[in-house]
Amino acid sequence: MLFSLATRAQSDAPAPVEYSERVPADGAGRNALYRRAVDWTENHFAYGPKSGQKADAATGTVRLTGTGKVKPVDNKAREQEITVLFDFTFRATDNGYEYSVGSFRVIPDAGQPSQTKPLDVYLTELRADKNNERTHNERRVTAQATSLASEAAMAFRSYMNSLPTDANVGLAGEN
């Protein structure tokens, strides 16, 4: 474990910010899991504005793009709010589901919301900035985006775990 952390610390490329998980849910059924995920994305997804929602009952998949904020600081330690977009993806199976929060993109100029850049490219630019030693913006933005990914994932997982007991989501059901 220490070796992998040291290797990552020496690397010039930032680690991707993402959260993904496979969750066993024996007996829950793909359709019930899929419907629950669709309900969360349509009625409980708190990371808006959201866009690009695509749900496919035949494959048990859901995908959408959410919005969040990160706040690097300028040279005078004033926060500068930057919008980030991320993808939430979900796939149900007969025995569980998998989901992820990732593919973060930054909108560097709020006046041009269609112009995005991958978060890792933005982090590389922050690292190269001559003031990064003072502002720590690369670490700050990485931590904020990681927190956003984790928060969205945990909100989803909590919602999935709160399914009524007759559906047995996240629990090994006795039949």
Side-chain angles (χ1 to χ4, degrees), residues 7-36:
T7 302
R8 181 176 290 168
Q10 294 172 3
S11 171
D12 285 342
V17 173
E18 63 182 9
Y19 187 97
S20 61
E21 184 176 20
R22 282 188 171 175
V23 181
D26 294 334
R30 185 174 70 164
N31 290 336
L33 294 168
Y34 167 78
R35 284 192 309 273
R36 187 74 173 164

Side-chain angles (χ1 to χ4, degrees), residues 10-171:
Q10 294 172 3
S11 171
D12 285 342
V17 173
E18 63 182 9
Y19 187 97
S20 61
E21 184 176 20
R22 282 188 171 175
V23 181
D26 294 334
R30 185 174 70 164
N31 290 336
L33 294 168
Y34 167 78
R35 284 192 309 273
R36 187 74 173 164
V38 168
D39 182 54
W40 184 73
T41 59
E42 290 179 351
N43 300 308
H44 303 282
F45 188 81
Y47 306 94
K50 60 186 177 181
S51 62
Q53 182 163 352
K54 295 177 184 164
D56 184 349
T59 61
T61 58
V62 179
R63 179 185 174 115
L64 77 148
T65 299
T67 306
K69 302 286 184 186
V70 294
K71 298 177 181 178
V73 295
D74 64 13
N75 292 331
K76 295 181 182 179
R78 292 179 300 211
E79 290 184 338
Q80 307 295 312
E81 194 169 77
I82 304 288
T83 300
V84 294
L85 304 175
F86 63 90
D87 292 335
F88 170 81
T89 58
F90 170 88
R91 186 176 70 84
T93 67
D94 291 333
N95 299 315
Y97 59 92
E98 55 190 49
Y99 67 97
S100 68
V101 177
S103 300
F104 278 78
R105 296 159 319 277
V106 175
I107 300 175
D109 180 356
Q112 297 182 334
S114 63
Q115 301 294 318
T116 65
K117 68 172 68 174
L119 180 63
D120 59 341
V121 170
Y122 183 70
L123 293 174
T124 299
E125 291 171 358
L126 289 177
R127 182 184 303 129
D129 183 85
K130 65 182 180 178
N131 295 311
N132 194 47
E133 286 299 316
R134 190 172 76 235
T135 64
H136 303 289
N137 275 332
E138 179 210 356
R139 291 188 309 197
R140 176 187 310 272
V141 169
T142 299
Q144 291 170 358
T146 300
S147 178
L148 178 62
S150 179
E151 178 186 299
M154 292 303 107
F156 175 71
R157 180 71 188 272
S158 176
Y159 184 75
M160 291 299 282
N161 285 344
S162 68
L163 194 93
T165 55
D166 61 305
N168 297 322
V169 172
L171 304 173

